[in-house]
mmCIF file of all heavy atoms in Angstrom:
data_model
loop_
_atom_site.group_PDB
_atom_site.id
_atom_site.type_symbol
_atom_site.label_atom_id
_atom_site.label_comp_id
_atom_site.label_asym_id
_atom_site.label_seq_id
_atom_site.Cartn_x
_atom_site.Cartn_y
_atom_site.Cartn_z
ATOM 1 N N ALA A 1 60.616 43.757 -52.699
ATOM 2 C CA ALA A 1 60.006 45.082 -52.837
ATOM 3 C C ALA A 1 60.658 46.106 -51.904
ATOM 4 O O ALA A 1 60.199 47.240 -51.796
ATOM 5 C CB ALA A 1 58.505 45.007 -52.561
ATOM 6 N N GLY A 2 61.717 45.697 -51.184
ATOM 7 C CA GLY A 2 62.426 46.595 -50.275
ATOM 8 C C GLY A 2 61.789 46.726 -48.903
ATOM 9 O O GLY A 2 62.278 47.473 -48.059
ATOM 10 N N GLU A 3 60.725 45.990 -48.640
ATOM 11 C CA GLU A 3 59.990 46.128 -47.382
ATOM 12 C C GLU A 3 60.664 45.363 -46.240
ATOM 13 O O GLU A 3 61.232 44.293 -46.453
ATOM 14 C CB GLU A 3 58.563 45.612 -47.546
ATOM 15 C CG GLU A 3 57.785 46.371 -48.595
ATOM 16 C CD GLU A 3 56.494 45.692 -48.983
ATOM 17 O OE1 GLU A 3 56.420 44.432 -48.904
ATOM 18 O OE2 GLU A 3 55.559 46.396 -49.373
ATOM 19 N N PHE A 4 60.593 45.933 -45.048
ATOM 20 C CA PHE A 4 61.065 45.261 -43.843
ATOM 21 C C PHE A 4 60.107 45.569 -42.714
ATOM 22 O O PHE A 4 59.366 46.553 -42.765
ATOM 23 C CB PHE A 4 62.494 45.696 -43.466
ATOM 24 C CG PHE A 4 62.585 47.128 -42.992
ATOM 25 C CD1 PHE A 4 62.483 47.431 -41.645
ATOM 26 C CD2 PHE A 4 62.775 48.156 -43.887
ATOM 27 C CE1 PHE A 4 62.557 48.752 -41.204
ATOM 28 C CE2 PHE A 4 62.847 49.479 -43.466
ATOM 29 C CZ PHE A 4 62.748 49.772 -42.118
ATOM 30 N N ALA A 5 60.110 44.714 -41.701
ATOM 31 C CA ALA A 5 59.235 44.945 -40.549
ATOM 32 C C ALA A 5 59.793 44.255 -39.312
ATOM 33 O O ALA A 5 60.313 43.142 -39.383
ATOM 34 C CB ALA A 5 57.829 44.423 -40.833
ATOM 35 N N PHE A 6 59.698 44.965 -38.208
ATOM 36 C CA PHE A 6 59.985 44.412 -36.888
ATOM 37 C C PHE A 6 58.690 44.533 -36.111
ATOM 38 O O PHE A 6 58.246 45.643 -35.798
ATOM 39 C CB PHE A 6 61.080 45.202 -36.166
ATOM 40 C CG PHE A 6 62.416 45.136 -36.844
ATOM 41 C CD1 PHE A 6 62.869 46.183 -37.617
ATOM 42 C CD2 PHE A 6 63.225 44.027 -36.701
ATOM 43 C CE1 PHE A 6 64.098 46.134 -38.239
ATOM 44 C CE2 PHE A 6 64.458 43.956 -37.319
ATOM 45 C CZ PHE A 6 64.907 45.024 -38.095
ATOM 46 N N ALA A 7 58.058 43.419 -35.820
ATOM 47 C CA ALA A 7 56.801 43.432 -35.072
ATOM 48 C C ALA A 7 57.076 42.992 -33.638
ATOM 49 O O ALA A 7 58.056 42.299 -33.368
ATOM 50 C CB ALA A 7 55.804 42.493 -35.728
ATOM 51 N N ASP A 8 56.219 43.411 -32.747
ATOM 52 C CA ASP A 8 56.254 42.944 -31.361
ATOM 53 C C ASP A 8 57.571 43.266 -30.645
ATOM 54 O O ASP A 8 58.133 42.434 -29.954
ATOM 55 C CB ASP A 8 55.971 41.437 -31.335
ATOM 56 C CG ASP A 8 55.394 40.986 -30.000
ATOM 57 O OD1 ASP A 8 54.720 41.800 -29.347
ATOM 58 O OD2 ASP A 8 55.628 39.830 -29.613
ATOM 59 N N LEU A 9 58.056 44.499 -30.843
ATOM 60 C CA LEU A 9 59.266 44.946 -30.164
ATOM 61 C C LEU A 9 58.927 45.509 -28.787
ATOM 62 O O LEU A 9 57.904 46.182 -28.629
ATOM 63 C CB LEU A 9 59.964 46.055 -30.963
ATOM 64 C CG LEU A 9 60.567 45.702 -32.302
ATOM 65 C CD1 LEU A 9 61.060 46.960 -33.005
ATOM 66 C CD2 LEU A 9 61.701 44.710 -32.122
ATOM 67 N N PRO A 10 59.801 45.281 -27.806
ATOM 68 C CA PRO A 10 59.611 45.955 -26.511
ATOM 69 C C PRO A 10 59.692 47.473 -26.699
ATOM 70 O O PRO A 10 60.390 47.965 -27.590
ATOM 71 C CB PRO A 10 60.786 45.443 -25.675
ATOM 72 C CG PRO A 10 61.183 44.155 -26.307
ATOM 73 C CD PRO A 10 60.922 44.339 -27.772
ATOM 74 N N LEU A 11 58.990 48.206 -25.862
ATOM 75 C CA LEU A 11 58.954 49.665 -25.965
ATOM 76 C C LEU A 11 60.325 50.258 -25.708
ATOM 77 O O LEU A 11 61.139 49.690 -24.976
ATOM 78 C CB LEU A 11 57.945 50.239 -24.971
ATOM 79 C CG LEU A 11 56.527 49.692 -25.081
ATOM 80 C CD1 LEU A 11 55.634 50.364 -24.057
ATOM 81 C CD2 LEU A 11 55.973 49.860 -26.473
ATOM 82 N N GLY A 12 60.579 51.416 -26.321
ATOM 83 C CA GLY A 12 61.843 52.101 -26.095
ATOM 84 C C GLY A 12 62.372 52.767 -27.341
ATOM 85 O O GLY A 12 61.688 52.856 -28.359
ATOM 86 N N LEU A 13 63.610 53.244 -27.247
ATOM 87 C CA LEU A 13 64.285 53.872 -28.366
ATOM 88 C C LEU A 13 65.199 52.853 -29.038
ATOM 89 O O LEU A 13 65.880 52.084 -28.356
ATOM 90 C CB LEU A 13 65.108 55.072 -27.896
ATOM 91 C CG LEU A 13 64.318 56.236 -27.319
ATOM 92 C CD1 LEU A 13 65.255 57.314 -26.796
ATOM 93 C CD2 LEU A 13 63.364 56.816 -28.360
ATOM 94 N N TYR A 14 65.207 52.878 -30.363
ATOM 95 C CA TYR A 14 65.997 51.927 -31.131
ATOM 96 C C TYR A 14 66.925 52.645 -32.100
ATOM 97 O O TYR A 14 66.558 53.669 -32.684
ATOM 98 C CB TYR A 14 65.083 50.978 -31.939
ATOM 99 C CG TYR A 14 64.435 49.938 -31.061
ATOM 100 C CD1 TYR A 14 63.330 50.255 -30.289
ATOM 101 C CD2 TYR A 14 64.942 48.656 -30.982
ATOM 102 C CE1 TYR A 14 62.742 49.317 -29.454
ATOM 103 C CE2 TYR A 14 64.362 47.705 -30.157
ATOM 104 C CZ TYR A 14 63.273 48.041 -29.397
ATOM 105 O OH TYR A 14 62.706 47.106 -28.583
ATOM 106 N N GLY A 15 68.106 52.089 -32.262
ATOM 107 C CA GLY A 15 69.015 52.504 -33.317
ATOM 108 C C GLY A 15 68.824 51.559 -34.479
ATOM 109 O O GLY A 15 68.761 50.338 -34.291
ATOM 110 N N ILE A 16 68.698 52.101 -35.673
ATOM 111 C CA ILE A 16 68.482 51.291 -36.873
ATOM 112 C C ILE A 16 69.717 51.409 -37.755
ATOM 113 O O ILE A 16 70.216 52.512 -37.980
ATOM 114 C CB ILE A 16 67.245 51.777 -37.662
ATOM 115 C CG1 ILE A 16 66.005 51.860 -36.764
ATOM 116 C CG2 ILE A 16 66.997 50.907 -38.888
ATOM 117 C CD1 ILE A 16 65.564 50.552 -36.179
ATOM 118 N N SER A 17 70.208 50.281 -38.251
ATOM 119 C CA SER A 17 71.284 50.302 -39.234
ATOM 120 C C SER A 17 70.834 49.500 -40.444
ATOM 121 O O SER A 17 70.169 48.462 -40.296
ATOM 122 C CB SER A 17 72.592 49.755 -38.668
ATOM 123 O OG SER A 17 72.492 48.387 -38.402
ATOM 124 N N VAL A 18 71.173 50.009 -41.621
ATOM 125 C CA VAL A 18 70.784 49.355 -42.872
ATOM 126 C C VAL A 18 72.019 49.279 -43.752
ATOM 127 O O VAL A 18 72.694 50.296 -43.977
ATOM 128 C CB VAL A 18 69.670 50.145 -43.596
ATOM 129 C CG1 VAL A 18 69.241 49.416 -44.854
ATOM 130 C CG2 VAL A 18 68.483 50.387 -42.668
ATOM 131 N N LYS A 19 72.311 48.068 -44.235
ATOM 132 C CA LYS A 19 73.437 47.945 -45.151
ATOM 133 C C LYS A 19 73.092 46.987 -46.275
ATOM 134 O O LYS A 19 72.329 46.027 -46.085
ATOM 135 C CB LYS A 19 74.709 47.533 -44.432
ATOM 136 C CG LYS A 19 74.770 46.135 -43.909
ATOM 137 C CD LYS A 19 76.128 45.880 -43.268
ATOM 138 C CE LYS A 19 76.263 44.445 -42.813
ATOM 139 N NZ LYS A 19 77.601 44.165 -42.286
ATOM 140 N N ALA A 20 73.626 47.316 -47.445
ATOM 141 C CA ALA A 20 73.437 46.501 -48.634
ATOM 142 C C ALA A 20 74.684 46.666 -49.492
ATOM 143 O O ALA A 20 75.307 47.743 -49.484
ATOM 144 C CB ALA A 20 72.183 46.941 -49.396
ATOM 145 N N PRO A 21 75.063 45.626 -50.225
ATOM 146 C CA PRO A 21 76.240 45.725 -51.077
ATOM 147 C C PRO A 21 76.135 46.887 -52.075
ATOM 148 O O PRO A 21 75.092 47.092 -52.691
ATOM 149 C CB PRO A 21 76.265 44.385 -51.821
ATOM 150 C CG PRO A 21 75.475 43.457 -50.957
ATOM 151 C CD PRO A 21 74.443 44.313 -50.297
ATOM 152 N N GLY A 22 77.214 47.666 -52.171
ATOM 153 C CA GLY A 22 77.247 48.787 -53.106
ATOM 154 C C GLY A 22 76.689 50.084 -52.548
ATOM 155 O O GLY A 22 76.698 51.107 -53.219
ATOM 156 N N PHE A 23 76.192 50.047 -51.297
ATOM 157 C CA PHE A 23 75.601 51.233 -50.681
ATOM 158 C C PHE A 23 76.320 51.570 -49.377
ATOM 159 O O PHE A 23 76.882 50.695 -48.720
ATOM 160 C CB PHE A 23 74.111 51.015 -50.377
ATOM 161 C CG PHE A 23 73.263 50.869 -51.602
ATOM 162 C CD1 PHE A 23 72.958 49.615 -52.102
ATOM 163 C CD2 PHE A 23 72.773 51.989 -52.252
ATOM 164 C CE1 PHE A 23 72.181 49.462 -53.225
ATOM 165 C CE2 PHE A 23 71.985 51.856 -53.383
ATOM 166 C CZ PHE A 23 71.692 50.589 -53.877
ATOM 167 N N GLU A 24 76.287 52.839 -49.001
ATOM 168 C CA GLU A 24 76.824 53.245 -47.709
ATOM 169 C C GLU A 24 75.909 52.735 -46.604
ATOM 170 O O GLU A 24 74.693 52.646 -46.786
ATOM 171 C CB GLU A 24 76.919 54.771 -47.626
ATOM 172 C CG GLU A 24 77.961 55.362 -48.556
ATOM 173 C CD GLU A 24 78.066 56.872 -48.427
ATOM 174 O OE1 GLU A 24 77.432 57.475 -47.530
ATOM 175 O OE2 GLU A 24 78.795 57.452 -49.247
ATOM 176 N N ILE A 25 76.491 52.407 -45.464
ATOM 177 C CA ILE A 25 75.695 51.977 -44.309
ATOM 178 C C ILE A 25 74.953 53.188 -43.756
ATOM 179 O O ILE A 25 75.544 54.266 -43.583
ATOM 180 C CB ILE A 25 76.581 51.353 -43.224
ATOM 181 C CG1 ILE A 25 77.242 50.074 -43.758
ATOM 182 C CG2 ILE A 25 75.753 51.044 -41.966
ATOM 183 C CD1 ILE A 25 78.273 49.470 -42.812
ATOM 184 N N LEU A 26 73.677 53.035 -43.523
ATOM 185 C CA LEU A 26 72.852 54.114 -42.964
ATOM 186 C C LEU A 26 72.536 53.788 -41.519
ATOM 187 O O LEU A 26 72.124 52.660 -41.206
ATOM 188 C CB LEU A 26 71.561 54.256 -43.756
ATOM 189 C CG LEU A 26 70.577 55.317 -43.260
ATOM 190 C CD1 LEU A 26 71.168 56.721 -43.434
ATOM 191 C CD2 LEU A 26 69.252 55.207 -43.989
ATOM 192 N N ARG A 27 72.752 54.758 -40.641
ATOM 193 C CA ARG A 27 72.421 54.595 -39.219
ATOM 194 C C ARG A 27 71.451 55.695 -38.800
ATOM 195 O O ARG A 27 71.683 56.868 -39.091
ATOM 196 C CB ARG A 27 73.693 54.647 -38.379
ATOM 197 C CG ARG A 27 74.578 53.433 -38.566
ATOM 198 C CD ARG A 27 75.794 53.459 -37.638
ATOM 199 N NE ARG A 27 76.551 52.235 -37.732
ATOM 200 C CZ ARG A 27 77.484 52.001 -38.665
ATOM 201 N NH1 ARG A 27 77.734 52.922 -39.572
ATOM 202 N NH2 ARG A 27 78.143 50.860 -38.671
ATOM 203 N N ILE A 28 70.414 55.266 -38.112
ATOM 204 C CA ILE A 28 69.400 56.193 -37.605
ATOM 205 C C ILE A 28 69.246 55.908 -36.117
ATOM 206 O O ILE A 28 69.072 54.756 -35.720
ATOM 207 C CB ILE A 28 68.044 55.998 -38.327
ATOM 208 C CG1 ILE A 28 68.220 56.162 -39.836
ATOM 209 C CG2 ILE A 28 66.987 56.948 -37.781
ATOM 210 C CD1 ILE A 28 67.053 55.668 -40.648
ATOM 211 N N SER A 29 69.312 56.952 -35.291
ATOM 212 C CA SER A 29 69.192 56.727 -33.843
ATOM 213 C C SER A 29 67.868 57.255 -33.314
ATOM 214 O O SER A 29 67.187 58.041 -33.970
ATOM 215 C CB SER A 29 70.359 57.387 -33.101
ATOM 216 O OG SER A 29 70.351 58.773 -33.325
ATOM 217 N N SER A 30 67.524 56.789 -32.147
ATOM 218 C CA SER A 30 66.367 57.261 -31.373
ATOM 219 C C SER A 30 65.028 57.110 -32.090
ATOM 220 O O SER A 30 64.195 58.009 -32.058
ATOM 221 C CB SER A 30 66.578 58.707 -30.935
ATOM 222 O OG SER A 30 67.751 58.820 -30.158
ATOM 223 N N VAL A 31 64.805 55.958 -32.695
ATOM 224 C CA VAL A 31 63.497 55.657 -33.278
ATOM 225 C C VAL A 31 62.648 55.096 -32.152
ATOM 226 O O VAL A 31 62.965 54.078 -31.562
ATOM 227 C CB VAL A 31 63.611 54.649 -34.443
ATOM 228 C CG1 VAL A 31 62.231 54.262 -34.955
ATOM 229 C CG2 VAL A 31 64.480 55.212 -35.551
ATOM 230 N N ARG A 32 61.552 55.783 -31.838
ATOM 231 C CA ARG A 32 60.725 55.410 -30.684
ATOM 232 C C ARG A 32 59.690 54.350 -31.051
ATOM 233 O O ARG A 32 58.925 54.509 -32.000
ATOM 234 C CB ARG A 32 60.010 56.623 -30.115
ATOM 235 C CG ARG A 32 59.156 56.283 -28.879
ATOM 236 C CD ARG A 32 58.607 57.489 -28.178
ATOM 237 N NE ARG A 32 59.633 58.401 -27.717
ATOM 238 C CZ ARG A 32 60.380 58.230 -26.617
ATOM 239 N NH1 ARG A 32 60.210 57.157 -25.875
ATOM 240 N NH2 ARG A 32 61.287 59.115 -26.272
ATOM 241 N N VAL A 33 59.685 53.268 -30.268
ATOM 242 C CA VAL A 33 58.653 52.244 -30.375
ATOM 243 C C VAL A 33 57.666 52.496 -29.241
ATOM 244 O O VAL A 33 58.045 52.488 -28.075
ATOM 245 C CB VAL A 33 59.262 50.821 -30.281
ATOM 246 C CG1 VAL A 33 58.162 49.783 -30.182
ATOM 247 C CG2 VAL A 33 60.160 50.554 -31.474
ATOM 248 N N SER A 34 56.418 52.767 -29.620
ATOM 249 C CA SER A 34 55.365 53.112 -28.670
ATOM 250 C C SER A 34 54.324 51.994 -28.593
ATOM 251 O O SER A 34 54.180 51.206 -29.522
ATOM 252 C CB SER A 34 54.675 54.409 -29.094
ATOM 253 O OG SER A 34 55.606 55.457 -29.172
ATOM 254 N N THR A 35 53.565 52.002 -27.542
ATOM 255 C CA THR A 35 52.547 50.993 -27.285
ATOM 256 C C THR A 35 51.562 50.859 -28.436
ATOM 257 O O THR A 35 50.913 51.831 -28.815
ATOM 258 C CB THR A 35 51.763 51.330 -25.997
ATOM 259 O OG1 THR A 35 52.685 51.443 -24.926
ATOM 260 C CG2 THR A 35 50.725 50.279 -25.683
ATOM 261 N N GLY A 36 51.484 49.665 -29.001
ATOM 262 C CA GLY A 36 50.498 49.347 -30.026
ATOM 263 C C GLY A 36 50.669 50.065 -31.339
ATOM 264 O O GLY A 36 49.800 49.990 -32.195
ATOM 265 N N ALA A 37 51.787 50.753 -31.560
ATOM 266 C CA ALA A 37 51.985 51.528 -32.792
ATOM 267 C C ALA A 37 53.088 50.914 -33.656
ATOM 268 O O ALA A 37 54.017 50.302 -33.146
ATOM 269 C CB ALA A 37 52.348 52.967 -32.445
ATOM 270 N N ILE A 38 52.959 51.100 -34.959
ATOM 271 C CA ILE A 38 53.989 50.701 -35.906
ATOM 272 C C ILE A 38 54.589 51.988 -36.478
ATOM 273 O O ILE A 38 53.900 52.770 -37.117
ATOM 274 C CB ILE A 38 53.423 49.848 -37.063
ATOM 275 C CG1 ILE A 38 52.687 48.618 -36.529
ATOM 276 C CG2 ILE A 38 54.527 49.464 -38.034
ATOM 277 C CD1 ILE A 38 53.555 47.631 -35.804
ATOM 278 N N TYR A 39 55.855 52.212 -36.203
ATOM 279 C CA TYR A 39 56.542 53.410 -36.696
ATOM 280 C C TYR A 39 56.964 53.150 -38.136
ATOM 281 O O TYR A 39 57.639 52.166 -38.434
ATOM 282 C CB TYR A 39 57.774 53.701 -35.826
ATOM 283 C CG TYR A 39 58.470 54.983 -36.188
ATOM 284 C CD1 TYR A 39 58.084 56.180 -35.605
ATOM 285 C CD2 TYR A 39 59.504 54.999 -37.108
ATOM 286 C CE1 TYR A 39 58.720 57.370 -35.933
ATOM 287 C CE2 TYR A 39 60.142 56.181 -37.447
ATOM 288 C CZ TYR A 39 59.744 57.354 -36.851
ATOM 289 O OH TYR A 39 60.372 58.529 -37.193
ATOM 290 N N ASN A 40 56.562 54.032 -39.064
ATOM 291 C CA ASN A 40 56.916 53.906 -40.470
ATOM 292 C C ASN A 40 58.232 54.616 -40.718
ATOM 293 O O ASN A 40 58.332 55.827 -40.514
ATOM 294 C CB ASN A 40 55.804 54.489 -41.355
ATOM 295 C CG ASN A 40 56.122 54.310 -42.813
ATOM 296 O OD1 ASN A 40 56.805 53.363 -43.219
ATOM 297 N ND2 ASN A 40 55.644 55.224 -43.636
ATOM 298 N N LEU A 41 59.244 53.879 -41.159
ATOM 299 C CA LEU A 41 60.579 54.419 -41.343
ATOM 300 C C LEU A 41 61.043 54.197 -42.781
ATOM 301 O O LEU A 41 61.580 53.139 -43.121
ATOM 302 C CB LEU A 41 61.554 53.739 -40.369
ATOM 303 C CG LEU A 41 62.985 54.221 -40.406
ATOM 304 C CD1 LEU A 41 63.083 55.659 -39.883
ATOM 305 C CD2 LEU A 41 63.860 53.315 -39.574
ATOM 306 N N PRO A 42 60.831 55.191 -43.655
ATOM 307 C CA PRO A 42 61.354 55.049 -45.013
ATOM 308 C C PRO A 42 62.874 55.202 -44.982
ATOM 309 O O PRO A 42 63.403 56.061 -44.284
ATOM 310 C CB PRO A 42 60.685 56.190 -45.777
ATOM 311 C CG PRO A 42 60.264 57.173 -44.742
ATOM 312 C CD PRO A 42 60.099 56.422 -43.451
ATOM 313 N N VAL A 43 63.576 54.344 -45.720
ATOM 314 C CA VAL A 43 65.033 54.339 -45.720
ATOM 315 C C VAL A 43 65.534 54.565 -47.146
ATOM 316 O O VAL A 43 65.147 53.819 -48.054
ATOM 317 C CB VAL A 43 65.580 52.999 -45.185
ATOM 318 C CG1 VAL A 43 67.086 52.940 -45.294
ATOM 319 C CG2 VAL A 43 65.126 52.782 -43.755
ATOM 320 N N LYS A 44 66.376 55.584 -47.336
ATOM 321 C CA LYS A 44 66.957 55.856 -48.647
ATOM 322 C C LYS A 44 68.468 55.695 -48.539
ATOM 323 O O LYS A 44 69.122 56.420 -47.792
ATOM 324 C CB LYS A 44 66.606 57.266 -49.123
ATOM 325 C CG LYS A 44 67.059 57.534 -50.548
ATOM 326 C CD LYS A 44 66.613 58.886 -51.031
ATOM 327 C CE LYS A 44 65.133 58.801 -51.352
ATOM 328 N NZ LYS A 44 64.630 59.964 -52.087
ATOM 329 N N LEU A 45 69.025 54.731 -49.289
ATOM 330 C CA LEU A 45 70.448 54.462 -49.250
ATOM 331 C C LEU A 45 71.176 55.226 -50.357
ATOM 332 O O LEU A 45 70.645 55.430 -51.440
ATOM 333 C CB LEU A 45 70.717 52.966 -49.431
ATOM 334 C CG LEU A 45 70.154 52.035 -48.347
ATOM 335 C CD1 LEU A 45 70.493 50.590 -48.679
ATOM 336 C CD2 LEU A 45 70.688 52.403 -46.989
#
């Protein structure tokens, strides 16, 4: 269904990279992981 999840990450800023065959690699920087929160990151390739 295209879903992904990273649970229980240490706090801080994260760089996200997404790659799939036939698509350009997508890079997103400075995604903040905060205490007890799940950051929703929709990705369009």
Side-chain angles (χ1 to χ4, degrees):
E3 300 168 331
F4 69 92
F6 296 101
D8 205 29
L9 293 173
L11 304 181
L13 295 176
Y14 285 79
I16 307 297
S17 67
V18 183
K19 71 178 184 176
F23 294 95
E24 292 182 7
I25 296 173
L26 178 66
R27 290 184 174 85
I28 303 166
S29 61
S30 301
V31 175
R32 182 171 301 282
V33 172
S34 301
T35 303
I38 304 295
Y39 185 88
N40 183 29
L41 182 68
V43 175
K44 186 176 284 192
L45 297 179

